[in-house]
Amino acid sequence: MRLNEQGLQEEKDAWEAAGYRLPQFDHKAMVHLTRENPFWVHFGAGNLFRAFQANVAQDLLNRKVLDRGVIAVGDWETMEKLSHPHDDYAALVTLKADGTIEKTIVGSVAEYLTMDPGYDKEYNRLREIFVQESLQMVTFTITEKGYSLTESDGSFTSEVERDLQEGPENPQSFMGKVAALLYARFKAGKKPVAMVSMDNCSHNGTRLYESISAFSIQWSKSGKTQREFAQYTADPEKVSFPWTMIDKITPRPDASVEAILEKDGIEDLKPIVTSRNTHIAPFVNTEECQYLVIEDAFPAGRPPLEQGGLIFTDRETVDKVEKMKVCTCLNPLHTALAVFGCLLGFDTISDEMKNDTLRKLVEGIGYREGLPVVVNPDVLDPRKFLDDVLNIRFPNPFMPDTPQRIATDTSQKLAVRFGETIREYQASAELDVKSLKCIPLVFAGWLRYLTGVDDEGKTFQLSPDPMLDALCPYVKDENVKPILENAEIFGLNLYDVGMADRVEGYFREMLDGPGAVRRTLEKYV
């Protein structure tokens, strides 16, 4: 079976017999209407987009809620090697925790473009789209790094520096090009639009605005644009930058999924690794759960995406959902499993969830220690969210996420993932920091992890972390006081809040020979 327009039409019966859900709309008509009156442009057309946003659009197209699709923007390799050869279709495989799979052919992308150097025709097409009255929203899944304009030392990259000085005529940097597209919309009559980051980072709309405004302010000051351009990008009635919270796991293409699709008879499925070291394929494998909460700030209007399961609310509620996820119901549990997974020799999160002690640990962090202080955002129930994490998402054997990957940069995560909960206990008249046992176990486990020796006494490779060189010598000497009093790591000084002695005690027990980590967990969980 061929994954393209001709193959889907001529071999429709074979596709359906193999259990694939096909687009239920006139694809050619959708493409025509979208190109004539585009309403949605998406930057970052990778695995997450194809598994989530594009599939939501497809569902609404199938139900005739929408009559137009999405214009996707990505890198040239994905466009030429993956998207265009398959007429912009993709196979989506949803891997469910109960062992079943759901197979969908997603065809909601009407046009795939790139802003990479050497593709002037595609960039000019984007300029045409950005001046259209019909354009309502521009969305992004470009990863948190995509919003950065600077080098590690804080100076602008050479491309950004050049664009700031030269203006919007021929920008080279990604954000410079986006800002230039907005300037084209400004010149076409100051038309409104929503610029919506859907990346998994806190206050993502503000991050996007700061990147765009760096260009609009500099260009306005230097006379490279009209002075009003900076006012335009700063006016939420003209250009909005909503906050969002997104949560969906889309790992790199999995070989077992590829084998399933090949057995079904689909041709030309081989994954590729791009020059940017991203792993892509004509198919995407993903989990069944997904959440996208969006600040409802769309000055040009918006399609009824709530009918596709997206949640629209105010900025304060988006922030509450973000904190619920990051500080209580997901990220702290991930970190706990990452640390102890590395120490206890686990290769996947799903295997860890089969271990009764580790399951009790994350249940204790979530239900017993986290939920009493979480702020209910109302649009999502924290307990239900936590239930899904512990009973559907983490145990899913089809999602090959590893503790080693999640353990990356742990020193940069602890303050947010656990510090907020500790502060809430401090501020509470009913709760006592000294009642916390699971969170201190994670901190002690992380110190034990930093020794680079697992629970069987074997050395292992620590995941990348910018503070390893500073922290490991303290742990090696069993002098952890400088670490535990470092408020930048934990969000507060653990001695000041009365938690350090417990952490030190757990840490010493975990050092007591092979099997000590497991024994300590079993003793206190």
Side-chain angles (χ1 to χ4, degrees), residues 293-308:
V293 183
I294 305 174
E295 179 188 354
D296 201 354
F298 291 77
R302 63 170 176 80
L305 299 179
E306 65 274 13
Q307 294 188 39

Side-chain angles (χ1 to χ4, degrees), residues 218-378:
Q218 176 61 28
W219 291 345
S220 296
K221 282 182 178 179
S222 63
K224 299 297 182 181
T225 66
Q226 289 99 313
R227 296 187 65 85
E228 292 81 11
F229 179 47
Q231 298 170 12
Y232 169 74
T233 59
D235 182 358
E237 298 298 318
K238 290 294 185 182
V239 184
S240 66
F241 295 87
W243 289 6
T244 69
M245 190 290 294
I246 190 167
D247 189 21
K248 187 174 181 69
I249 299 173
T250 51
R252 65 178 53 174
D254 187 77
S256 64
V257 174
E258 181 186 351
I260 292 171
L261 302 185
E262 287 183 341
K263 186 177 180 181
D264 286 341
I266 306 180
E267 303 170 10
D268 300 325
L269 285 178
K270 289 299 180 186
I272 65 171
V273 180
T274 71
S275 58
R276 301 178 188 184
N277 201 36
T278 55
H279 294 250
I280 56 175
F283 65 91
V284 184
N285 38 259
T286 187
E287 64 172 338
E288 60 195 284
C289 296
Q290 59 187 34
Y291 307 88
L292 182 49
V293 183
I294 305 174
E295 179 188 354
D296 201 354
F298 291 77
R302 63 170 176 80
L305 299 179
E306 65 274 13
Q307 294 188 39
L310 308 192
I311 298 171
F312 291 87
T313 183
D314 55 45
R315 176 169 288 196
E316 182 181 4
T317 302
V318 174
D319 196 40
K320 289 178 181 177
V321 174
E322 175 77 20
K323 287 180 179 177
M324 178 200 77
K325 170 197 162 188
V326 173
C327 304
T328 305
C329 295
L330 182 104
N331 296 37
L333 318 185
H334 241 169
T335 291
L337 292 173
V339 167
F340 288 110
C342 293
L343 286 169
L344 299 175
F346 286 94
D347 294 322
T348 66
I349 295 298
S350 59
D351 280 344
E352 287 190 76
M353 291 301 291
K354 298 174 186 176
N355 180 282
D356 288 341
T357 303
L358 292 177
R359 174 175 271 277
K360 287 179 183 177
L361 173 67
V362 290
E363 287 176 346
I365 296 169
Y367 292 117
R368 190 167 63 249
E369 298 184 350
L371 282 185
V373 297
V374 74
V375 176
N376 191 334
D378 294 325

